[in-house]
Amino acid sequence: MRILFMNPNTTASMTASIRATATTAAAPGTEIIATEPLWGPESIEGHFEGYLSAAAVLDRLATLDLSFDALVMAGFGEPGREGAQELLDVPVLDITESAAQMAMMLGHAYGIVTTLDRAVPQIRDRLLTAGLLQRCAAVRGTGLGVLELEEDAERTVEVITETAREAVRDGAEVICLGCGGMAGLQEKVAAALGVPVVDGVAAAVKFAEAVVGLGLTTSTGRSFAPPRPKVIGSWPLSAHLSPGRAQGSPRHTAFSAQTSGI
């Protein structure tokens, strides 16, 4: 089984961290690959950058010449997952819903600790759309920017832990790490906090393995039917920005097993 993780920003070091965390969580026989868009923001901290990233991710998927059995969108609260579900014929998961779903198996209410406070409404909207907001006790920002998470690992854990304590006081019994850039920090935060801490990257690996193992994929009967054939000007964009880069059909079945560009 091969699972592709898509980092929605263009920061390669964050892609590497996501890949490492996912690989640690994967079962024997599961191969983890990870990539990021060819263009777009270096981090996502707001709606503008989120929608720009969604377009860049879909562009990357439309031109990626690689075979995989499931896709995990590694942005927390960002848009674009539904577009990928229409584009591909493999299961598409995201770390937001994966973290929340797993947290609800472990406690009555969960809390999310994310980056900047401005991300809180975006995450709450995503949970509402997914039907997961009712059991969310709190979504709290640490005040750390996405790129700041990698600057000082010790301070990052301390700030996440202190913010998580506030969520616990709000009624959270389980904490979700609300950013792909926090991948791999769950054990240190849990040890300091004393309650279960769910990392969405690791949770998504296990859900993807289960869905693929059961032979299931996205329903195309209605909401996520493939895009209707039509002219889309200058699409895919990366084919115009980088002539000669891999170009493929927007349906996964047309991708080959080449791994160049990853």
Side-chain angles (χ1 to χ4, degrees):
M1 181 187 309
R2 177 183 274 185
I3 303 173
L4 171 64
F5 273 76
M6 179 64 70
N7 174 14
N9 67 47
T10 58
T11 301
S13 60
M14 202 161 289
T15 303
S17 175
I18 290 168
R19 181 192 297 113
T21 297
T23 299
T24 299
T30 296
E31 180 184 0
I32 300 296
I33 52 179
T35 191
E36 64 276 329
L38 300 177
W39 53 272
E42 62 179 352
S43 65
I44 303 166
E45 293 165 328
H47 293 286
F48 168 72
E49 293 166 350
Y51 283 104
L52 189 63
S53 166
V57 165
L58 294 174
D59 178 88
R60 181 71 163 128
L61 291 172
T63 56
L64 186 62
D65 197 10
L66 178 73
S67 64
F68 50 93
D69 300 297
L71 169 69
V72 175
M73 307 281 277
F76 209 97
E78 277 87 54
R81 198 277 302 275
E82 295 86 353
Q85 286 179 291
E86 292 184 8
L87 196 67
L88 306 176
D89 60 5
V90 299
V92 178
L93 299 88
D94 79 339
I95 64 172
T96 314
E97 294 185 25
S98 295
Q101 293 279 11
M102 185 161 287
M104 291 192 300
M105 299 176 189
L106 304 175
H108 179 266
Y110 67 94
I112 294 173
V113 175
T114 189
T115 52
L116 301 179
D117 180 69
R118 65 177 295 168
V120 171
Q122 194 170 348
I123 291 173
R124 291 183 65 86
D125 285 350
R126 185 72 195 178
L127 296 173
L128 178 63
T129 300
L132 300 169
L133 186 59
Q134 185 176 359
R135 288 175 59 186
C136 181
V139 182
R140 287 187 168 270
T142 59
L144 295 174
V146 173
L147 299 181
E148 289 181 84
L149 296 173
E150 297 184 331
E151 292 179 359
D152 185 336
E154 184 175 342
R155 176 174 179 267
T156 295
V157 171
E158 290 176 356
V159 174
I160 291 173
T161 302
E162 184 55 39
T163 307
R165 287 197 178 98
E166 296 174 4
V168 170
R169 287 194 287 269
D170 289 335
E173 300 171 10
V174 183
I175 295 297
C176 299
L177 300 182
C179 178
M182 296 177 180
L185 301 181
Q186 65 273 18
E187 291 184 3
K188 291 182 179 179
V189 176
L193 198 61
V195 301
V197 176
V198 178
D199 168 50
V201 170
V205 171
K206 308 318 287 186
F207 280 125
E209 288 176 337
V211 172
V212 174
L214 291 170
L216 300 172
T217 192
T218 307
S219 170
T220 59
R222 192 181 188 189
S223 301
F224 304 117
R228 298 185 65 189
K230 65 184 68 175
V231 174
I232 303 177
S234 299
W235 179 261
L237 180 60
S238 59
H240 298 269
L241 295 176
S242 304
R245 296 298 295 262
Q247 298 181 41
S249 163
R251 295 301 288 171
H252 167 71
T253 49
F255 294 160
S256 74
Q258 297 176 6
T259 58
S260 59
I262 298 300

